[in-house]
Every structure is written in structure tokens, then in C-alpha cells.
């Protein structure tokens, strides 16, 4: 397998050959849209049914880390786009450089995600037997590493949430639904990032051989499409998971 | 463009940088918008900003603007099917009466306390 951009028999022109590859990639991405769509639908139904618990749960995420990760991922999409540009303009030396930047940003994103997951574990927010939405509100603020102000807000919010949702048991159950979706959706997204990182490693190795230029850059372009798609999923996950109820005074 | 007459549209780094700036601004804007109490319009605004950001990524980073008509049709069809799935299901859920099993609990108050 050492394709370098020669014309295959079934195509009339290189342009047609490239378009076929792009079209095929997009057909795959459409299946991905509907794959993630199922999770977004589950989210929509449950948020519609249990708005209180989703608001309480969403405010327990770390907004600063979520925001920083969004910036990191958008920056990685930019460097990915720049590696496609480098290939299209035959700047062969630049292609792996931009790809390495993209990979580093992708790994930073996953690293921050690990920190966030660990935080949720410490705060008893993993769905299951040990789940307790009131855990941090019952401890001194320092135990959960949140400011006194945020701690006071959380106590009020949980008190109001219990009242609105029809009791502590109900709130705890519905908040578990929120966190199941949080881990399900961000986990599936992270899995796509890990696959993307693997693809990037291969691209970096191949591009260092100088394989991709104006004449042949289909792998860079198509893995780029995949990377941007994963970025788009996060563009929706960030407001839907982190920003549900941030306007509480 | 190569010696084979293989034409493809090359987006300039300047345009990519502009899109990057717009996406970062959108990210900042969506956080600021979430801090204002707009009642039920908070989610509408958040999704509107996200959709604009998505469109910028598809049109420029993913070259959707410069793709063939056929490819553009596939892109649009994906979101069309997603809209059917989300739209029809949510019209069902949003017009149902509460199920008997949950009627023992008082209905949860609206999240935005509008």
C-alpha cells in the first residue's frame, strides 16, 4: 500500500477520484452524526423530564476546565486545517509539524478529561452504589476543593432541588441519569479522540516520509474531516453539559 | 492545483485564522450568555451559537463550502435525518401527559424558574 496519487482504473480524473474519497468520508460521518444523535436524543428527553436534576448536576462540573478544553480542541482543529493546507501547497516539511501540534492538543484535551473524571470520582458523582449528589454540600468546602462562595451556592441549589424534584431520593436518582449521560457522551467523545490520536500518529509517520503534497493528500484531508467532526460534537457537548443552569445568582 | 490538472480549492491560512478567532469568540460568548437568566431562551441561544460554530467548522475547516454539490447534499441529508429523529421524538415527549407512575410526585418546576 504505497499510494501516491496515481489514477486508478475506475476513475476518469484525479479530481473525480478525490471527490469519491471525500464523499465516502462524509457518508461515514453522517452515520456518526446519527450515532451521536441517539445520545443527544436520550439527553433531550431526560433533560426535558428532569430539568431540576440536570441543572443541579450541570453546575457540579468544572466550568473553567470545560472552557479550557473547548479552547484546546478548537485550536487543534485549526492546526489540523493548517496541516491540510501545508499538504495542498506542497509544504512537505510543515505537514508533520502541524500534525504534531494537533496530536499534542488532542492529548492535552484527554489529560484534562482524566483530571475531571478523577474529580467526579472524588466527589461521589459516579453513577452507582456510591453516588451521592449531596456529598460535597455536606463536607467543608475545602474537601471538594471549591470556593466558600460556590459551596454556599451548591448547598442552596441542592436544598431547592430536593424540594422541586420531590425529595432527596428522586433528585439523587435523576442526577444519576444526568451523570450517566455525562460519562456516556463525554466517554464516547473521548473514545473518538483516542482513535483520532492513533490516526494522527500514523499520519505523522507517513507525512515525515514526504508522501503528502498538492498531488496526493487524501489521507490528511479525510482524517482532518474526522478530527473536525469530533470537534463539532464537543462544540455541542460543552453548552449542553456545562452551561445548563449557570445563571443562578 | 497540480500538473495533472487536479483542481482543489485551497483555503488561505488567513481565512483559517479568522475562523479560529470566530470560534474562540463564540466559545466566550456562549459562556457569557449562559450567565444571564433568559428563562427558556437560554437553551435556544446556546444551541444557536453552537450551530453557528458548527457551520463555520463545516464550511471552512471541512471545506464544505468548496465541496461538490453531491457531497454537500450528503452533508445536509445527515442533519436532515437528525432533525427528523430529534424533532418528531421531542414533539411526542413534550405533548404527553405525565405518566401515572410519576404523578405521585409533584411535577418538577421549570429549570429556569421563569
Amino acid at each position: 500500500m504505497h499510494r501516491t496519487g496515481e489514477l486508478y482504473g475506475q476513475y476518469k480524473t484525479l479530481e473525480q477520484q478525490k471527490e469519491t474519497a471525500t464523499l465516502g468520508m462524509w457518508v461515514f460521518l453522517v452515520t456518526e452524526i446519527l450515532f451521536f444523535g441517539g445520545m443527544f436524543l436520550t439527553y433531550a428527553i431526560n433533560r426535558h423530564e428532569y430539568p431540576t436534576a440536570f441543572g443541579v448536576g450541570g453546575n457540579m462540573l468544572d466550568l473553567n476546565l470545560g472552557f479550557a478544553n473547548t479552547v484546546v480542541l478548537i485550536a487543534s482543529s485549526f492546526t489540523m486545517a493548517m496541516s491540510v493546507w501545508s499538504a495542498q501547497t506542497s509544504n512537505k516539511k510543515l505537514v508533520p509539524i502541524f500534525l504534531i501540534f494537533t496530536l499534542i492538543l488532542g492529548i492535552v484535551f484527554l489529560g484534562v478529561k482524566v483530571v475531571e473524571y478523577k474529580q467526579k470520582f472524588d466527589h461521589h458523582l459516579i453513577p452507582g452504589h456510591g453516588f451521592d449528589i449531596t456529598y460535597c454540600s455536606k463536607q467543608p468546602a475545602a474537601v471538594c476543593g471549591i470556593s466558600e462562595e460556590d459551596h454556599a451556592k451548591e448547598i442552596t441549589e441542592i436544598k431547592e432541588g430536593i424540594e422541586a424534584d420531590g425529595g432527596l431520593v428522586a433528585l439523587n436518582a435523576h442526577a444519576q441519569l444526568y451523570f450517566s449521560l455525562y460519562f456516556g457522551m463525554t466517554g464516547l467523545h473521548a473514545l473518538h479522540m483516542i482513535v483520532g490520536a492513533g490516526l494522527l500518529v500514523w499520519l505523522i509517520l507517513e507525512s515525515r516520509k514526504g508522501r503528502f503534497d498538492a498531488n496526493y493528500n487524501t489521507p490528511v484531508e479525510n482524517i482532518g474531516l474526522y478530527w473536525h467532526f469530533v470537534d463539532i460534537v464537543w462544540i455541542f457537548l460543552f453548552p449542553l453539559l456545562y452551561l445548563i443552569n449557570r445563571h443562578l445568582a | 492545483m497540480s500538473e495533472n490538472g487536479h483542481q482543489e480549492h485551497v483555503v488561505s491560512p488567513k481565512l483559517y485564522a479568522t475562523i479560529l478567532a470566530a470560534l474562540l469568540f463564540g466559545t466566550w460568548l456562549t459562556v457569557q450568555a449562559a450567565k444571564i437568566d433568559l428563562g427558556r431562551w437560554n437553551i435556544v441561544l446556546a444551541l444557536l451559537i453552537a450551530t453557528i460554530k458548527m457551520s463555520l467548522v463545516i464550511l471552512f475547516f471541512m471545506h464544505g463550502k468548496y465541496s461538490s454539490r453531491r457531497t454537500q447534499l450528503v452533508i445536509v441529508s445527515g442533519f436532515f435525518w437528525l432533525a427528523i429523529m430529534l424533532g418528531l421524538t421531542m414533539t411526542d415527549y413534550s405533548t404527553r401527559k405525565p405518566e401515572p407512575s410519576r404523578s405521585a410526585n409533584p411535577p418538577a418546576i421549570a429549570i429556569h424558574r421563569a
Side-chain angles (χ1 to χ4, degrees), chain B residues 47-100:
Chain B
L47 287 175
L48 181 71
I49 295 172
T51 305
I52 292 170
K53 286 167 74 182
M54 174 184 79
S55 306
L56 290 175
V57 173
I58 292 178
L59 287 174
F60 299 101
F61 281 180
M62 300 172 91
H63 304 157
K65 187 167 184 261
Y66 316 102
S67 299
S68 69
R69 282 281 174 198
R70 200 181 352 248
T71 306
Q72 289 176 342
L73 180 69
V74 168
I75 300 171
V76 172
S77 72
F79 291 101
F80 179 67
W81 287 318
L82 181 68
I84 292 175
M85 181 168 76
L86 292 174
L88 291 187
T89 313
M90 289 321 287
T91 50
D92 178 12
Y93 272 90
S94 61
T95 52
R96 269 192 209 189
K97 288 182 178 138
E99 286 165 34

Side-chain angles (χ1 to χ4, degrees), chain A residues 188-244:
Chain A
L188 188 65
H189 178 264
L191 185 66
H192 277 77
M193 294 284 296
I194 292 166
V195 171
L199 292 169
L200 280 174
V201 169
W202 174 80
L203 263 191
I204 290 164
L205 294 175
E206 291 299 306
S207 64
R208 280 172 60 86
K209 297 175 195 162
R211 265 186 67 189
F212 307 121
D213 55 18
N215 198 31
Y216 178 68
N217 51 52
T218 307
V220 189
E221 170 93 28
N222 280 1
I223 292 172
L225 287 179
Y226 174 86
W227 193 262
H228 296 310
F229 168 80
V230 177
D231 184 30
I232 288 173
V233 172
W234 185 261
I235 284 176
F236 280 91
L237 285 181
F238 175 58
L240 289 178
L241 293 172
Y242 289 76
L243 303 174
I244 298 173

Side-chain angles (χ1 to χ4, degrees), chain A residues 148-162:
Chain A
E148 291 288 345
E149 192 195 348
D150 286 345
H151 192 243
K153 255 193 225 173
E154 193 171 310
I155 292 170
T156 319
E157 214 192 338
I158 285 184
K159 215 177 115 193
E160 289 175 2
I162 290 171

Side-chain angles (χ1 to χ4, degrees), chain A residues 18-19 49 160 215 221, chain B residues 4 8 63 68 102 113:
Chain A
K18 176 92 187 272
E19 194 202 318
E49 298 286 301
E160 289 175 2
N215 198 31
E221 170 93 28
Chain B
N4 297 308
E8 64 186 351
H63 304 157
S68 69
R102 280 197 294 109
R113 290 141 219 239

Side-chain angles (χ1 to χ4, degrees), chain A:
Chain A
M1 291 282 279
H2 283 287
R3 294 180 184 174
T4 49
E6 67 273 30
L7 185 64
Y8 283 80
Q10 67 270 41
Y11 302 109
K12 269 190 177 161
T13 60
L14 277 174
E15 196 178 8
Q16 186 197 20
Q17 181 169 298
K18 176 92 187 272
E19 194 202 318
T20 308
T22 308
L23 184 74
M25 192 64 200
W26 268 108
V27 169
F28 167 67
L29 292 181
V30 168
T31 71
E32 288 272 86
I33 290 171
L34 292 166
F35 180 35
F36 276 96
M39 300 204 88
F40 279 104
L41 179 63
T42 315
Y43 169 90
I45 292 168
N46 284 293
R47 176 170 168 173
H48 177 262
E49 298 286 301
Y50 312 112
T52 311
F54 273 55
V56 172
N59 281 355
M60 293 192 172
L61 300 187
D62 191 321
L63 182 55
N64 293 329
L65 289 182
F67 178 78
N69 247 359
T70 310
V71 171
V72 166
L73 208 53
I74 287 173
S76 82
S77 255
F78 171 73
T79 54
M80 187 73 228
M82 285 305 294
S83 75
V84 173
W85 173 83
S86 309
Q88 285 176 334
T89 53
S90 292
N91 281 303
K92 289 188 183 185
K93 289 234 164 73
L94 274 180
V95 182
I97 292 173
F98 279 119
L99 288 173
I100 288 167
F101 276 126
T102 311
L103 180 62
I104 291 171
L105 289 166
I107 290 168
V108 168
F109 178 94
L110 287 168
V112 171
K113 216 67 224 145
V114 169
V115 172
E116 283 192 84
Y117 280 7
K118 169 70 166 57
Q119 216 178 56
K120 298 295 155 287
F121 183 82
D122 290 341
H123 295 179
H124 288 236
L125 294 174
I126 307 282
H129 187 65
F131 187 89
D132 183 6
I133 193 77
T134 62
Y135 178 79
C136 282
S137 67
K138 287 188 298 200
Q139 315 283 334
V143 174
C144 284
I146 47 179
S147 71
E148 291 288 345
E149 192 195 348
D150 286 345
H151 192 243
K153 255 193 225 173
E154 193 171 310
I155 292 170
T156 319
E157 214 192 338
I158 285 184
K159 215 177 115 193
E160 289 175 2
I162 290 171
E163 216 172 291
D165 214 8
L168 175 60
V169 176
L171 182 71
N172 220 33
H174 301 153
Q176 278 194 71
L177 253 175
Y178 169 81
F179 276 100
S180 300
L181 282 163
Y182 167 75
F183 285 109
M185 295 170 96
T186 59
L188 188 65
H189 178 264
L191 185 66
H192 277 77
M193 294 284 296
I194 292 166
V195 171
L199 292 169
L200 280 174
V201 169
W202 174 80
L203 263 191
I204 290 164
L205 294 175
E206 291 299 306
S207 64
R208 280 172 60 86
K209 297 175 195 162
R211 265 186 67 189
F212 307 121
D213 55 18
N215 198 31
Y216 178 68
N217 51 52
T218 307
V220 189
E221 170 93 28
N222 280 1
I223 292 172
L225 287 179
Y226 174 86
W227 193 262
H228 296 310
F229 168 80
V230 177
D231 184 30
I232 288 173
V233 172
W234 185 261
I235 284 176
F236 280 91
L237 285 181
F238 175 58
L240 289 178
L241 293 172
Y242 289 76
L243 303 174
I244 298 173
N245 209 12
R246 293 286 175 183
H247 48 263
L248 282 181

